[in-house]
Amino acid sequence: MHIPIQSVTPQSGHAEICGWVHEERDLGGLAFFLIRDRTGIIQVTIPKKKVSEEVLLAAKKVSRESVVRIAGTVKAVEKAPGGREIVPDKFEIINLAETPLPLDVSEKVGVELDTRLDARFLDVRRPRVAAVFQIRSAALFAVNEFLHKEGFISITTPKIVAAATEGGTELFPIAYFDKEAFLNQSPQLYKQMMMAGGFEKVYEIGPIFRAEEHNTTKHLNEATSIDIEVSFADHHDVMKTLEHLIVTTYEYVNKTCSTQIANLEIDNFAVPKAPFTRLPYGEAIGIAQKKSGEPIKYGDDISAAAEHAIGDEMGAHYFIVDWPTEIRPYYAMPYEDDPSICKAFDLMHPRMELSSGAQRVHQYDLLVQQIKKKGLNPESFEFYLRPFRYGMPPHAGWGLGAERLIMTMLGLSNVREAVLFPRDMHRLVP
Ligand code: ATP
Ligand code: MG
Ligand code: MG
Ligand code: MG
């Protein structure tokens, strides 16, 4: 039976491993291989005069990234990775890889992101790329665990829908028998309906689809959203949940992913400190006016340049709160004493927006009024509005982009690096 490469030690005696040929080097009398599996890398040394003919033949024939099974004596070697090597008595080529490879897995040659994504199966064989997805898995586990411990019920809402969440153009129409249908932009309306369903605390981690028309480094056409909704809660309550979740997730990754963090060459993985600053929207605009070098006025959305200028000033995660009602969705609750601003917030990483949320409007009449004010037709929202007539509790929630969370956590330069098979304007395959 083969064992994981990371558990081969100088004391192993005899060991069998399975994996891919990471590197090969021929020094005449000696041949060296590095063999890699998902747990690590080990050196295999072949003293040509001392091994069997079968081993020699296989070693000669094998190409990089072929799949092999190797067994032999383990020896302590100070300079080898992990301080040990195998001298094989068995060298089986399970599947020979073609040459040349579409990309260099041993990372000696720089690779364009497009080339990497075209050959993603090879790209993720690279330990530093695999690390991103191992950390993503750990982070989403931590999110699930945190929300379960907080008493949330995990739900799944439809991705094929008849109406846009907020109207607008960011919708993908799809063929659905003889009906007009779209891919959902957000679980917003459905998670709110479950507040009328009495679930009180729900969450969903699922895909959202947006026909983003601009190519940016932080927008995908298919993204993963972590969404929550909580009854009898206001915006302050769910901001606390959000900052707690962020800190807990970073802590979990810090605790459980040290190998991956090292593979990514992150020197000081900093866990953010709660509470995050609550920066009123008006003040955020003031900072952007002074620092962004672009014209921006009260009532504008926060542009990318503004995001960067404010982020530089803040230097850590922060919330932008008290947004103008006019630029937030109809379901955001206006302040009673000043309805020109609302109980909405964005969670910001210094580099970009991570999450948007709000206390929601739970009164039927006010909601209808706000839908009309946005120029939308309440009739298209009948399925959503109906629950508000039969006992809708006050509630609040947010949506957090999983890819942006991972991207900012790991300092990735493009959000596409945080998805296995990203979808963008030009990328539908693989
Ligand atoms: P942005 O202003 O950056 O376009 P948004 O305000 O349109 O984001 P929301 O509708 O508030 O996004 O969605 C909630 C969260 O979902 C965002 O804060 C972000 O983390 C994530 N998100 C939204 N759109 C995308 C996208 N196209 N690609 C990746 N993540 C996204
Ligand atoms: Mg957007
Ligand atoms: Mg935004
Ligand atoms: Mg937003």
Side-chain angles (χ1 to χ4, degrees), residues 244 246-256 269 271-272:
H244 247 116
I246 297 284
V247 171
T248 307
T249 304
Y250 269 77
E251 278 171 347
Y252 184 79
V253 168
N254 195 33
K255 203 176 70 192
T256 61
F269 184 87
V271 176

Side-chain angles (χ1 to χ4, degrees), residues 113 216-218 220 351 407 412-418:
L113 185 56
T216 78
T217 53
K218 58 173 190 178
L220 295 159
R351 289 175 66 195
M407 174 188 184
L412 306 176
S413 54
N414 195 314
V415 70
R416 290 163 183 76
E417 293 181 73

Side-chain angles (χ1 to χ4, degrees), residues 151-356:
F152 282 79
I153 298 173
S154 158
I155 61 168
T156 303
T157 63
K159 304 307 153 203
I160 302 174
V161 295
T165 307
E166 294 167 31
T169 52
E170 290 181 356
L171 278 171
F172 287 112
I174 57 163
Y176 192 76
F177 307 112
D178 58 346
K179 290 192 168 64
E180 184 177 54
F182 306 96
L183 292 175
N184 209 358
Q185 300 165 287
S186 147
Q188 181 66 31
L189 307 187
Y190 290 90
K191 62 181 184 165
Q192 282 193 262
M193 286 194 276
M194 292 321 295
M195 297 299 97
F199 279 22
E200 294 192 27
K201 289 177 162 188
V202 300
Y203 81 98
E204 175 166 16
I205 302 178
I208 56 170
F209 302 91
R210 307 220 175 164
E212 307 282 0
E213 297 202 4
H214 305 288
N215 241 327
T216 78
T217 53
K218 58 173 190 178
H219 288 97
L220 295 159
N221 293 116
E222 178 174 0
T224 310
S225 180
I226 302 163
D227 261 272
I228 78 160
E229 204 63 33
V230 187
S231 288
F232 309 109
D234 63 15
H235 50 309
H236 299 299
D237 297 323
V238 292
M239 276 192 274
K240 275 187 207 137
T241 307
L242 181 50
E243 66 192 356
H244 247 116
L245 173 135
I246 297 284
V247 171
T248 307
T249 304
Y250 269 77
E251 278 171 347
Y252 184 79
V253 168
N254 195 33
K255 203 176 70 192
T256 61
C257 300
S258 50
T259 311
Q260 288 82 0
I261 290 170
N263 275 336
L264 281 159
E265 287 161 36
I266 299 172
D267 295 332
N268 50 345
F269 184 87
V271 176
K273 287 191 180 53
F276 304 156
T277 304
R278 271 73 169 157
L279 178 71
Y281 167 88
E283 285 178 35
I285 291 295
I287 296 171
Q289 281 168 339
K290 261 188 247 143
K291 307 260 162 109
S292 78
E294 267 185 18
I296 186 168
K297 58 180 192 311
Y298 191 96
D300 290 344
D301 195 6
I302 309 283
S303 64
E307 239 174 36
H308 293 146
I310 306 163
D312 283 348
E313 183 83 5
M314 303 301 289
H317 287 81
Y318 64 101
F319 286 105
I320 301 178
V321 299
D322 303 345
W323 288 68
T325 306
E326 208 177 306
I327 58 169
R328 298 300 285 211
Y330 56 82
Y331 46 76
M333 178 73 98
Y335 279 99
E336 291 80 6
D337 54 353
D338 180 3
S340 76
I341 55 172
C342 64
K343 301 180 182 180
F345 57 85
D346 273 11
L347 170 66
M348 309 296 292
H349 178 276
R351 289 175 66 195
M352 71 190 72
E353 175 189 325
L354 292 182
S355 169
S356 287

